Amino acid sequence: MPDIGWMELLVIGVVALIVVGPKDLPMMFRRLGQITGKIRGMAKDFQRAMDEAADESGMSEINRDLRSAARFTNPRKMGMDALNEAFEDVDLDPSKYAEGSNTRIIAEKQVARKQELAAKAEAARKAREDKLSGIDAGAAELEADMADAPAPAAAPAAAAPTDTTPAADEVDAPKTGTDKT
């Protein structure tokens, strides 16, 4: 609905009452409601027809394909996804490989790296939590200090205004290029 406020609606209603008259006004509003309903129905039918045409032409499939292809726009992410999918089923359990084999050494390094990364992530998470709890504790301490502090004294109600204009002898006369000082 356009930007019509209550005052505009009131003016429209008063003008309609004067022009149409109180006898025919309810019939006019009823007819206006019927016309509005027909227009909404036609708009709904048009939207439904457009959706059906899009489905028949394959636009919904193209839209779905484009959305799925959007994940391939970042080459780095695409490569990492492909590597993760390729090595998803690889088990890096070092105990499955022969002692001293290159595969076992690689698996042990990978497990150690995973554990190191997990430890770093846990330490970062704990540091964030400590920082947040420190902020919360500081806020609580500040609130407690504010509650314990005495209330400020009330300012005098009728304080004499201070005059900040300089006295006549303090004001320097404007200087011109011909003045000798």
Side-chain angles (χ1 to χ4, degrees):
M1 189 169 176
D3 192 17
I4 297 177
W6 286 106
M7 290 302 294
E8 288 88 358
L9 288 174
L10 182 65
V11 169
I12 291 170
V14 169
V15 170
L17 181 63
I18 293 170
V19 172
V20 177
K23 183 179 176 187
D24 296 330
L25 192 62
M27 287 188 290
M28 186 192 75
F29 281 140
R30 183 171 147 223
R31 185 72 183 136
L32 183 66
Q34 290 173 347
I35 291 171
T36 304
K38 287 180 183 178
I39 291 173
R40 285 184 181 179
M42 288 174 18
K44 194 180 292 185
D45 288 341
F46 178 76
Q47 182 66 39
R48 190 178 311 121
M50 292 305 288
D51 289 342
E52 288 174 4
D55 289 342
E56 289 175 6
S57 67
M59 286 300 283
S60 59
E61 293 172 8
I62 292 172
N63 188 16
R64 185 186 65 237
D65 292 343
L66 285 175
R67 289 189 188 277
S68 67
R71 69 182 184 127
F72 296 115
T73 57
N74 184 350
R76 181 177 179 187
K77 182 172 176 9
M78 184 177 71
M80 290 303 294
D81 288 344
L83 282 173
N84 288 336
E85 287 175 14
F87 290 107
E88 194 172 70
D89 58 342
V90 175
D91 188 19
L92 294 178
D93 185 15
S95 63
K96 290 186 176 182
Y97 304 108
E99 189 71 35
S101 68
N102 286 337
T103 308
R104 183 172 180 137
I105 293 171
I106 292 171
E108 288 172 348
K109 287 180 181 178
Q110 289 294 330
V111 168
R113 185 166 183 266
K114 261 187 182 178
Q115 290 172 348
E116 180 182 323
L117 289 174
K120 283 183 182 179
E122 181 64 25
R125 184 191 59 79
K126 179 128 176 74
R128 269 195 319 269
E129 286 179 359
D130 290 345
K131 183 178 178 182
L132 290 176
S133 66
I135 290 172
D136 292 341
E141 186 177 308
L142 181 63
E143 288 176 4
D145 288 345
M146 294 293 286
D148 292 342
T162 58
D163 189 18
T164 59
T165 58
D169 58 345
E170 295 175 3
V171 177
D172 292 335
K175 295 184 180 181
T176 62
T178 59
D179 293 340
K180 293 182 182 179
T181 56

